[in-house]
Every structure is written in C-alpha cells, then in structure tokens.
Amino acid sequence: MEPRVGVGVFVLNKDNKFVLGIRKGSTGSGTWALPGGHLEFGETFEECAAREILEETGLALEDLRFLTATNNVMKAENKHYITIFMGGTVVGDNPEPQLLEPEKCEGWEWATWDDVRSMYEAEAQAAGSENRKESRLFLPLKSIFQQRPGFDPIQQYLSKGQ
Ligand code: 8DG
Ligand code: MG
C-alpha cells in the first residue's frame, strides 16, 4: 500500500478561531480533528479544501492558502497519510458550521490554536498514565507540534497573504 493524501483545513472566522470536531466511525475515531478529506485524482489542494468544507459544514471559503504539511504513519490502523494543511476565510457575516455528515463527526466547535496546544500538552503529560483523556488529537494535528515546531496557523495564514 502507498501513502494517501489527506487535506485538513483551518476554517478561519473573524476572531481567529477555526472549526474542530471529534471524529466518528473511521480513522482516528474519538479524536479532535480539522474538517477535511482525501485529495481526489486531479484536484488542486484549494479545490479539495473548498469541496470538503462545503460538504461537511456548508461553509464557503475564500482566500485559500497552503499552510504546512505533515507525514503521518498510523500504525494501529495500518494507514499512512501525507497531510496538506490549508487555511481559508469563511465567507459571510459570522456564519456557523452545520453538521452535514453526522455519521462522521460528533459536532463542530470553534477553537483557537492555544486550545489545540493545551490538548497536545495535556496529552503528552498524560501519556502512559491512568488518567489519559478520552478525546485526544487526531495524529495529523498532533504531528504539527512534533514535525513543525513553532507553527501557528493564524500567523502562517497572514504571512502567506502578503
Ligand atoms: P473522502 O473519503 O470522502 O474524501 O473523505 P471523508 O469522508 O471526509 O473522510 P475523512 O476521514 O474526513 O478524510 C479522509 C482521510 O484524510 C482521513 O481518513 C485521514 C486524512 N486526513 C489527514 N489529515 C486530516 C485532517 O486534518 N482532517 C481530516 N478530516 N482528514 C484528514 O491526513
Ligand atoms: Mg472528512
């Protein structure tokens, strides 16, 4: 089997928050992840990001930009993904994400990068101990801290716009 390409999207609102949800029914079930999906044959990263976000949340995105990438070997699930992280701005006045694929996600919430970092740090501390949290970060998101230290989605997004 060869690695596949996954696209995770930072769906940004005016408050510099982005959409996060607990995965359900597939790879990384029970973990917090960005909305996204598989890159389809012939698609650009931007097309894939816009399509997946519309399908999963009903939100339209503008100013899509490449932010970073991680390499993710999911040993337990025998899967290997190259994850492309994109960022985009939601179109409209404070639109809310809809749960359009409830079989795949518990629900969408707005989060900050500090929230995600706190989850990563709590998880790193609890690793191997009894009080390990139920909800953890989906590996591609966790890998950002391990493979791209110093990354911040908002800073990266803004710097790519200049
Ligand atoms: P698709 O098969 O319809 O294209 O996608 P989906 O139904 O939306 O499935 P998904 O599980 O959300 O995404 C497909 C795979 O993409 C997932 O199993 C692993 C990979 N993937 C990453 N990073 C990310 C990410 O940040 N978010 C999401 N949702 N998927 C990701 O490698
Ligand atoms: Mg998806």
Side-chain angles (χ1 to χ4, degrees):
M1 269 217 317
E2 286 172 357
R4 298 192 71 183
V5 179
V7 174
V9 188
F10 288 90
V11 175
L12 303 165
N13 72 7
K14 292 192 176 75
D15 302 325
N16 288 341
K17 291 186 174 180
F18 50 85
V19 172
L20 213 55
I22 295 181
R23 292 173 63 77
K24 220 167 132 176
S26 78
T27 321
S29 186
T31 62
W32 287 95
L34 297 170
H38 290 110
L39 184 73
E40 289 181 1
F41 189 91
E43 235 178 1
T44 65
F45 296 161
E46 288 81 1
E47 286 165 350
C48 177
R51 175 182 56 76
E52 288 288 350
I53 297 318
L54 196 60
E55 287 173 4
E56 297 182 356
T57 70
L59 294 172
L61 288 179
E62 58 188 8
D63 297 332
L64 278 151
R65 295 167 197 163
F66 168 80
L67 302 184
T68 193
T70 59
N71 185 41
N72 303 288
V73 180
M74 300 157 182
K75 285 208 187 88
E77 288 155 316
N78 200 30
K79 291 185 174 167
H80 183 174
Y81 280 96
I82 303 296
T83 304
I84 301 298
F85 289 97
M86 300 293 290
T89 305
V90 290
V91 174
D93 247 2
N94 301 314
E96 286 298 319
Q98 296 166 256
L99 188 58
L100 298 181
E101 296 180 336
E103 70 287 358
K104 294 185 185 174
C105 176
E106 305 278 356
W108 298 122
E109 293 188 19
W110 292 105
T112 64
W113 189 239
D114 280 345
D115 294 335
V116 176
R117 187 186 292 106
S118 299
M119 282 193 242
Y120 173 72
E121 284 166 1
E123 190 180 330
Q125 273 189 354
S129 89
E130 295 290 303
N131 46 6
R132 200 185 154 98
K133 280 230 193 80
E134 264 305 297
S135 298
R136 300 161 294 128
L137 290 178
F138 189 36
L139 181 64
L141 209 44
K142 190 172 160 179
S143 295
I144 293 180
F145 295 97
Q146 297 164 337
Q147 298 173 14
R148 305 284 173 256
F151 173 84
D152 179 297
I154 310 299
Q155 280 179 14
Q156 188 69 6
Y157 184 76
L158 294 176
S159 77
K160 293 286 176 97
Q162 283 159 6

